[in-house]
Amino acid sequence: MSLRIGTALREGARRTFTRDGLVLAVVFVVIGIVTALATQTIAANAVDTVLELMRSNQGAGEAEFTREQIRMVETSTEGLTPFALPVPPIVAWLLIALTAVLGEAANIIAARAFFAESSRALSGGLAGRNIVLATLNGIVGGIVVGIIVAIGLIFLIVPGIFFAIAFLFLRQEIAIEDSNFVDAMADSWQLTKGNRLELFALVIGVAILVTLASTVVPLLVGAVSPLLNVVVSILLGGVTAVFGTAVITRAYAQLHADRAAVQNGEDIDEWAV
């Protein structure tokens, strides 16, 4: 049975604005805030380092920087990192690592919530089941798939796109079937067979919608205030992250049901909560 793209988009959009979807959006917003703080801290420290080097080389022969050049850099970077924290860069990098782990855990939970037929799956025990191992597999699997896709992109781009679609359901297989990342990659490969063009179209559609929401709106408000631009970007980032996961998971649910039917009606009642 072929993938119903419209159904996946509609169900994904609907589930985004259910109670579970909004709770997850808040979680992703919080993760986005911490990530923004850490990223801006690293950027601010990098700018300070560059300025210090420029000042130390001021008047030093061929490497000389004039006061005007230094002032130009100071002016152009002023106000670009309003959320920078007064902490060492190593602390900011640790925060980024922490948010990456929490983000993967949140994505695993989101996949489980959106796979379940209930719009209140977060209140059950399935969403957080075996979350530590699932998160670890998600991180390692994501790195492995990322490397494979990157290598594929080097070779004329098309192989990279193919691998990205073939392993699209890696996280869903880990979340729903409690698979390790190796089995999840194999199962995703099998599950996407026969529907890869449809899945590619779905991913492109989601990417266009997310890009429009994540760039056009912040650009408009960014003309008013860089600070407002960051705030709006973070808020939209939480919603679009949930939307993307919801759409892909509902597409997975369609193909998962087909696979279960082929396997003599494999029992998936535990998710019909």
Side-chain angles (χ1 to χ4, degrees), residues 3 19 27 42 44 61 72 74 85 95 102 113 130 136 161 172 210 228:
L3 176 70
R19 190 198 69 166
V27 171
I42 292 170
M72 184 182 300
E74 291 174 336
L85 300 173
L95 282 175
L102 294 177
N130 202 22
L136 179 60
I161 296 174
Q172 281 72 21
V210 169
L228 185 60

Side-chain angles (χ1 to χ4, degrees), residues 39-45 47 77-85:
T39 302
Q40 293 209 4
T41 301
I42 292 170
N45 277 279
V47 170
T77 57
E78 185 178 358
L80 292 181
T81 54
F83 295 128
L85 300 173

Side-chain angles (χ1 to χ4, degrees), residues 51 54-56 58 65-75:
L51 287 172
M54 293 179 70
R55 294 187 186 106
S56 65
Q58 187 176 357
F65 291 99
T66 65
R67 290 182 179 178
E68 289 73 18
Q69 289 174 322
I70 296 174
R71 191 176 299 112
M72 184 182 300
V73 174
E74 291 174 336
T75 302

Side-chain angles (χ1 to χ4, degrees), residues 6-22 113-120 242-243 246-247 250:
T7 300
L9 286 169
R10 286 192 300 272
E11 290 182 352
R14 179 179 62 82
R15 296 295 289 270
T16 298
F17 296 99
T18 59
R19 190 198 69 166
D20 282 359
L22 294 176
F114 294 135
F115 181 79
E117 293 304 320
S118 170
S119 60
R120 291 175 174 264
V242 171
F243 172 70
V247 171
R250 293 314 300 169

Side-chain angles (χ1 to χ4, degrees), residues 148-165 200 204:
I148 293 173
V149 171
I151 293 173
L153 290 174
I154 294 174
F155 293 97
L156 302 178
I157 299 178
V158 174
I161 296 174
F162 172 81
F163 287 130
I165 298 301
F200 176 71
I204 292 297

Side-chain angles (χ1 to χ4, degrees), residues 139-223:
I139 292 172
V140 177
I143 293 172
V144 172
V145 169
I147 292 172
I148 293 173
V149 171
I151 293 173
L153 290 174
I154 294 174
F155 293 97
L156 302 178
I157 299 178
V158 174
I161 296 174
F162 172 81
F163 287 130
I165 298 301
F167 298 128
L168 182 64
F169 295 139
L170 168 76
R171 182 178 288 131
Q172 281 72 21
E173 287 290 339
I174 291 172
I176 307 307
E177 299 295 344
D178 290 324
S179 301
N180 60 56
F181 75 91
V182 176
D183 290 340
M185 290 174 65
D187 291 340
S188 178
W189 183 282
Q190 291 296 325
L191 193 61
T192 57
K193 275 186 177 179
N195 286 282
R196 286 172 183 156
L197 286 177
E198 290 86 349
L199 287 169
F200 176 71
L202 179 65
V203 169
I204 292 297
V206 171
I208 291 173
L209 292 173
V210 169
T211 300
L212 288 174
S214 301
T215 58
V216 175
V217 176
L219 280 175
L220 293 176
V221 299

